[in-house]
C-alpha cells in the first residue's frame, strides 16, 4: 500500500466501455454511471441491437430521459455525455459508417464475433466479409472496438482471446494498417504484449475485475456467479501482467469497466449470465487495484487522460476526490419490476471510497 497518499484528486474519469442496458434498467444504471463518469461509451448489444445512427440517437435520448428523471445533481446531469456505438453485423454498410462518423454522437463501431457474449447472436459471422466496412472506418477515422475472442466450440474458453489475436486481429491490422482499434477488456499477458507491440492506433481497455481477480476467485471453494464474466477470468500470472501495464503510465491502456448488469436472480441461476456490475463502485475498485501495487499516483492517466487522448477528445476539467477511507459495498441495489442488482464484491469492504 502507498502510505503517503491518503487522498487523491483526479480529473473526472470516463468509462470507455459500459453496458447500461435499456428500458427500466436505465433507471438504475444511468445514475450510477453518471455519479462518477463524464463520458461513457455505451455498448450496443441491446434487444434489438443498435445498428444505425437513428437507433443510436433514440437510445441516447432514452438514457438522458432516465438521467433527468433521477435524483442526481444538475451538475452531473450537465456533465454526462453518453457516447454511442453501432453494432457491426454482416449487413452493416459503408454508408452506415459514413453516417455514424458524421453524426456527432457515435464514437465507434463494435465488433462482436457471433455468440461471443450476452446478446451477440447478431454479431459478425465472417470477418473477411467486412472489408468495405473496415475501409470506411479507416477513411472516416472511426475506431473499431473488439470483443477479442474466437467462438468455435472446440476452442478452450481460456484460450479464445489468444487465438483471436493470432488468427483474426493480426490479419485485420495487416490489411488495414491505419484503422484505430481498441481491444476491449483484455484478460491475458498475450493481449497486453500484443497491444504493446503495435502502433499508437491500437489500444486496450481493462476492467476492475481483471485487475483484482483471477480464475481462483471464480472457482475455488465453489463457483461464484458474480465473478463470472466474458472474457472469463484467467490465471494469476495474467492478472499480474494486466496490473503491470495498467499502472505503467502507458497511454495504450485505459479504463473500461465493462460493467454489465443482470438481475440477481438471473446471475444466481442454473445458467447464470456473464457480467460483473461495477459502475457504482468502479473508482474505489480501480483505486484499490492500483494501490495494491503502490501505483495509486498512476490512476489519473489511466482513468481520466489516456482514453480521451486516444479518441481525440479533450480531457475533462472537473475533478473527483478519492479517499483512503473504507467503504462497504452495498449488498444489492433495487433494480426494476421488483428485482435486485448485486454489485461486484457485494457486502465486502473496499479501502478506498469517493469523497462526498
Amino acid at each position: 500500500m502507498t502510505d503517503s497518499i491518503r487522498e487523491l484528486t483526479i480529473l473526472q474519469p470516463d468509462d470507455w466501455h459500459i453496458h447500461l442496458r435499456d428500458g427500466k434498467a436505465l433507471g438504475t444504471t444511468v445514475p450510477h454511471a453518471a455519479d462518477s463518469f463524464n463520458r461513457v461509451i455505451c455498448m450496443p448489444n441491446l434487444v434489438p441491437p443498435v445498428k444505425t445512427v437513428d437507433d443510436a440517437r433514440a437510445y441516447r435520448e432514452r438514457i438522458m430521459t432516465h438521467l433527468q428523471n433521477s435524483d442526481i445533481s444538475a451538475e452531473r446531469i450537465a456533465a454526462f455525455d453518453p457516447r454511442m456505438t453501432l453494432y457491426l453485423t454482416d449487413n452493416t454498410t459503408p454508408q452506415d459508417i459514413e453516417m455514424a462518423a458524421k453524426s456527432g454522437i457515435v464514437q465507434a463501431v463494435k465488433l462482436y464475433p457471433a455468440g461471443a457474449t450476452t446478446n451477440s447472436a447478431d454479431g459478425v459471422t465472417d470477418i473477411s466479409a467486412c472489408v468495405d466496412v473496415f475501409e470506411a472506418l479507416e477513411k472516416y477515422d472511426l475506431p473499431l472496438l473488439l470483443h477479442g475472442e474466437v467462438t468455435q466450440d472446440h476452442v478452450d474458453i481460456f484460450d479464445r482471446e489468444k487465438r483471436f489475436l493470432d488468427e483474426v486481429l493480426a490479419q485485420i491490422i495487416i490489411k488495414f494498417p491505419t484503422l484505430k482499434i481498441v481491444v476491449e477488456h483484455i484478460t491475458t499477458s498475450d493481449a497486453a504484449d500484443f497491444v504493446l507491440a503495435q502502433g499508437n492506433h491500437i489500444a486496450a481497455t481493462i476492467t476492475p475485475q481483471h485487475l483484482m481477480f483471477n480464475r481462483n476467485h471464480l472457482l475455488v471453494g465453489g463457483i461464484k456467479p458474480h465473478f463470472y464474466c466474458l472474457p472469463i477470468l484467467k490465471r494469476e500470472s495474467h492478472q499480474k501482467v494486466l496490473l503491470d501495464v495498467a499502472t505503467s503510465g502507458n497511454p495504450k491502456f485505459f479504463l473500461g469497466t465493462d460493467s454489465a448488469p443482470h438481475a440477481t436472480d438471473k446471475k444466481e441461476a442454473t445458467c447464470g449470465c456473464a457480467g460483473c456490475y461495477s459502475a457504482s463502485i468502479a473508482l474505489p475498485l480501480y483505486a484499490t487495484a492500483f494501490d495494491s501495487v503502490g501505483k495509486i499516483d498512476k490512476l489519473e492517466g489511466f482513468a481520466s487522460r489516456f482514453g480521451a487522448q486516444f479518441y481525440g477528445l479533450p480531457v475533462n476539467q472537473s475533478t473527483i476526490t478519492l479517499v483512503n477511507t473504507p467503504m462497504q459495498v452495498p449488498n444489492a441495489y433495487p433494480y426494476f419490476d421488483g428485482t435486485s442488482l448485486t454489485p461486484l464484491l457485494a457486502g465486502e469492504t473496499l479501502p478506498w471510497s469517493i469523497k462526498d
Side-chain angles (χ1 to χ4, degrees):
M1 297 285 288
T2 306
D3 294 333
S4 59
I5 297 179
R6 310 295 297 179
E7 184 171 302
L8 180 71
T9 297
I10 63 173
L11 294 174
Q12 200 82 33
D14 302 304
D15 187 345
W16 302 104
H17 182 139
I18 194 170
H19 297 267
L20 298 175
R21 306 301 187 210
D22 205 355
K24 295 178 182 178
L26 297 175
T28 300
T29 61
V30 173
H32 282 172
D35 261 340
S36 295
F37 301 107
N38 276 11
R39 289 169 293 221
V40 295
I41 286 190
C42 305
M43 292 297 105
N45 57 332
L46 310 181
V47 181
V50 177
K51 297 181 181 180
T52 68
V53 170
D54 286 344
D55 293 340
R57 188 171 288 112
Y59 183 35
R60 190 178 193 279
E61 289 173 359
R62 295 195 296 275
I63 291 169
M64 294 307 295
T65 296
H66 277 273
L67 182 64
Q68 288 154 2
N69 291 337
S70 72
D71 59 2
I72 201 166
S73 71
E75 178 185 9
R76 295 306 308 144
I77 291 174
F80 191 60
D81 181 14
R83 308 299 299 168
M84 299 293 102
T85 54
L86 296 191
Y87 190 119
L88 183 62
T89 75
D90 291 338
N91 299 314
T92 303
T93 67
Q95 290 71 35
D96 292 327
I97 303 306
E98 179 181 4
M99 292 177 65
K102 295 178 179 179
S103 70
I105 62 168
V106 176
Q107 195 68 57
V109 171
K110 179 64 182 277
L111 190 160
Y112 292 101
T117 189
T118 302
N119 298 337
S120 62
D122 288 339
V124 172
T125 60
D126 183 6
I127 298 289
S128 63
C130 297
V131 170
D132 291 347
V133 169
F134 291 162
E135 288 176 345
L137 290 170
E138 273 192 312
K139 177 180 178 180
Y140 294 105
D141 197 30
L142 198 63
L144 177 66
L145 312 184
L146 296 171
H147 181 110
E149 293 187 289
V150 298
T151 56
Q152 295 96 321
D153 290 342
H154 67 276
V155 179
D156 189 286
I157 192 169
F158 292 102
D159 298 332
R160 291 183 174 191
E161 183 173 89
K162 186 178 188 311
R163 290 283 293 271
F164 184 90
L165 299 171
D166 295 342
E167 299 171 11
V168 180
L169 184 52
Q171 296 305 310
I172 293 175
I173 291 172
I174 289 170
K175 293 175 183 176
F176 305 96
T178 63
L179 176 58
K180 293 182 77 170
I181 294 173
V182 180
V183 191
E184 298 199 293
H185 45 51
I186 62 169
T187 67
T188 60
S189 59
D190 308 281
D193 291 342
F194 185 96
V195 171
L196 285 169
Q198 309 303 317
N200 290 334
H201 62 300
I202 311 295
T205 56
I206 308 178
T207 75
Q209 63 264 27
H210 290 105
L211 292 177
M212 296 182 71
F213 309 115
N214 56 67
R215 64 191 191 183
N216 276 2
H217 295 93
L218 171 66
L219 298 171
V220 171
I223 296 173
K224 317 295 195 308
H226 295 287
F227 286 124
Y228 173 52
C229 57
L230 290 173
I232 200 165
L233 297 172
K234 304 300 195 300
R235 291 181 181 275
E236 183 184 18
S237 57
H238 294 295
Q239 177 197 353
K240 288 181 176 179
V241 171
L242 295 182
L243 262 175
D244 285 345
V245 296
T247 61
S248 68
N250 189 315
K252 284 173 157 288
F253 303 96
F254 43 83
L255 186 154
T257 62
D258 193 20
S259 179
H262 295 282
T264 301
D265 64 327
K266 302 297 185 185
K267 281 291 285 179
E268 299 174 0
T270 53
C271 185
C273 303
C276 300
Y277 188 68
S278 61
S280 58
I281 54 166
L283 290 184
L285 288 171
Y286 280 114
T288 300
F290 275 58
D291 202 21
S292 72
V293 290
K295 296 286 187 68
I296 191 73
D297 58 307
K298 298 293 187 181
L299 182 61
E300 183 180 68
F302 176 86
S304 311
R305 294 183 180 275
F306 301 154
Q309 291 167 3
F310 179 85
Y311 283 101
L313 298 169
V315 297
N316 298 315
Q317 298 303 304
S318 57
T319 61
I320 192 167
T321 298
L322 289 149
V323 289
N324 195 193
T325 301
M327 66 162 286
Q328 184 173 17
V329 180
N331 287 314
Y333 300 105
Y335 204 25
F336 62 90
D337 293 341
T339 62
S340 64
L341 178 60
T342 302
L344 192 62
L345 292 182
E348 299 193 29
T349 299
L350 292 171
W352 285 86
S353 54
I354 297 172
K355 188 175 183 178
D356 292 333

